[in-house]
Structures are given as structure tokens and as C-alpha cells.
Amino acid sequence: MTTGRPPETLARVGLFRSLTPDEITRLNARCIFRRAHAKDWIIDYQDESTDVFFLISGSARVMIRAISGRETILREIEGGAYFGEFSAIDGRPRSASILAVTDVTIAKMTAAVFLETVTQHADVCLQLLRLITGQVRMLSNRVNEFTTLAIRERLITELLRLSRANPADPEQAIVSPPPLHADLAGRISTRRETVTKELSAMEREGLVRRGRRALTLIDMPRLMGAIRAAEEAEDFDASAKLK
């Protein structure tokens, strides 16, 4: 990671939206602004540092690397987001690694300054609580998917999550640019080869169409129906076990 002059300020960070320009300026002076290149690791899993990082520009990825080498992607973050707050709050090692996906500009703030700011500004505290609550809900949903859905249904769920509606056809959706198979594997906790195999099968079945610029989900009713059927089957199994 290389040090550089900050081209931006914390004014771009949603957490501080209620602060005045003077308060932002004072916080800027208490941060260290840095730039990192794409593919640089900003935070390592289990690292014992407690600084909080604010992503001023660019995009990064939150992930866990297992001893086996398998990587699980937890979420993507864009400019205006922040990370590292868990360790600043409880002083424990990092719960995930952060990888720069593109060149990024970040602001590093010590845990002491972060906690001081959070406790002195009610709106900042509320925004932090909402973010943590959202992360817990997201992780709960991911755990539920990993434990109740088969690989194909997990893949379909992730593609639906990444897609946007196709204005030309209400029964289609588009994922653009098309995600790397390795990235999809990391998102649903499986292997790249398994994702490739499932996508090929789904293409033969007329569910998706792969192109250079986009992956098209060409039969949304069938894809969503497959997820509903899997969830209903799981609910039925759970009910049967209680009888």
C-alpha cells in the first residue's frame, strides 16, 4: 500500500452525512489517506490491528480465506462504505480479509478516534447500528442458503441477486458484466469447476444465455420457481422432523 495525497475527504462517506463541513475537516486531519492498487490486500483475516478504513473511491471485497485455500466472498463494497469497525469496537482480531478489486483511495482512522466520533454524534451511532444490523441479517440469509439449498439453487439465488431487469423482456434479467466463475464459486462456497458445470447445464436447459458482455437469465419464472420449490421442500422436511 502506498501513501498519497488525499484527493477526496470523508464527506463522501455516508456514515458522516450529518456532520458539518467544519467537523468533516477536523476528522480529515485525524485520518491517514492512502491509495492501494487492485489486488492489494488492505486487511488480512485474523490481523490484530484495530483501525477503521473508509473507502473514498474504488471498490473492494470482503472475504474469508480458509487454510485449504478456498475463498468465500461475503460482500462487495463501493466508495462511501467503511470496514474494520468490528475490531475497533471489541478489540478482537479481524473477522475477514479485505481485497481491493480496483485501485482505491482509503482513509485510515484509529479505533480511539472512531469510537470518540460515534459516541459524540447520535446520527453517526445510529448509522453504525443500522449497518451492523444489516450485516447480521445478510449473513443470516447466507448461512440459511448454504445449509438449506443445493449448489444449483445457491447459484440461481446469487445470479438473481446480481441481476437487473431486462427492459426489453419482463421475463428476463441481465448480469453485466458477466461474473467470473471463480467469483461466483466464492460467493456460494463451492468450486469454480462446479459453477462452470452448472452454468453449462442451465444453458442447455434454456435457463441462461452466456455472452461476452452479459449473462442473461432468459427464463425468470422457471428460475424463481426452482428457488420456491427448494424452499418449500426444506419447509416440508423440517415439519416432518417435528412430528
Side-chain angles (χ1 to χ4, degrees):
M1 203 178 295
T2 57
T3 302
R5 295 180 59 188
E8 304 285 353
T9 79
L10 293 173
R12 298 178 61 86
V13 177
L15 181 66
F16 302 127
R17 66 184 186 183
S18 63
L19 301 189
T20 67
D22 286 344
E23 289 171 329
I24 290 291
T25 298
R26 286 194 291 272
L27 270 187
N28 286 339
R30 302 178 77 181
C31 292
I32 296 175
F33 288 80
R34 294 181 174 178
R35 293 177 182 175
H37 299 295
K39 307 303 181 184
D40 282 351
W41 291 100
I42 303 172
I43 289 179
D44 285 326
Y45 177 61
Q46 292 295 297
D47 185 87
E48 295 186 356
S49 63
T50 59
D51 297 318
V52 180
F53 295 84
F54 300 90
L55 190 62
I56 306 302
S57 64
S59 60
R61 179 172 292 161
V62 183
M63 57 200 307
I64 295 178
R65 292 183 292 174
I67 296 177
S68 64
R70 178 177 293 187
E71 298 178 342
T72 300
I73 300 173
L74 299 180
R75 61 190 177 99
E76 308 282 344
I77 50 180
E78 304 294 334
Y82 54 98
F83 49 88
E85 71 279 3
F86 284 13
S87 292
I89 292 171
D90 64 13
R92 300 184 64 182
R94 302 295 188 181
S95 59
S97 299
I98 307 293
L99 175 71
V101 176
T102 66
D103 290 349
V104 300
T105 299
I106 55 177
K108 183 174 75 170
M109 179 185 291
T110 66
V113 173
F114 178 74
L115 294 175
E116 175 189 318
T117 304
V118 169
T119 55
Q120 288 184 355
H121 299 277
D123 183 72
V124 174
C125 182
L126 179 60
Q127 296 304 314
L128 175 64
L129 291 174
R130 285 175 173 168
L131 175 90
I132 293 176
T133 301
Q135 291 183 5
V136 171
R137 291 182 184 278
M138 180 271 293
L139 290 173
S140 295
N141 289 335
R142 295 288 294 276
V143 169
N144 181 60
E145 291 171 7
F146 289 167
T147 55
T148 63
L149 299 180
I151 290 176
R152 171 173 285 207
E153 283 71 36
R154 297 209 304 267
L155 177 58
I156 292 173
T157 299
E158 191 61 35
L159 291 174
L160 291 173
R161 189 178 288 127
L162 295 171
S163 69
R164 55 182 173 83
N166 183 355
D169 190 332
E171 293 193 350
Q172 294 186 358
I174 298 171
V175 183
S176 180
L180 298 175
H181 292 188
D183 287 350
L184 285 173
R187 289 173 179 272
I188 65 173
S189 190
T190 188
R191 298 185 180 278
R192 178 183 58 81
E193 296 81 5
T194 304
V195 169
T196 300
K197 179 181 177 181
E198 288 293 342
L199 283 175
S200 296
M202 290 165 64
E203 190 167 31
R204 290 193 300 270
E205 295 167 24
L207 295 171
V208 304
R209 181 173 61 248
R210 290 183 285 183
R212 294 181 61 185
R213 296 185 177 181
L215 174 68
T216 304
L217 312 182
I218 58 179
D219 197 335
M220 289 289 286
R222 284 177 61 193
L223 290 170
M224 297 178 71
I227 300 302
R228 286 195 296 270
E231 292 174 344
E232 290 170 359
E234 178 61 27
D235 290 341
F236 177 82
D237 288 343
S239 298
K241 290 177 182 178
L242 292 175
K243 293 180 180 180

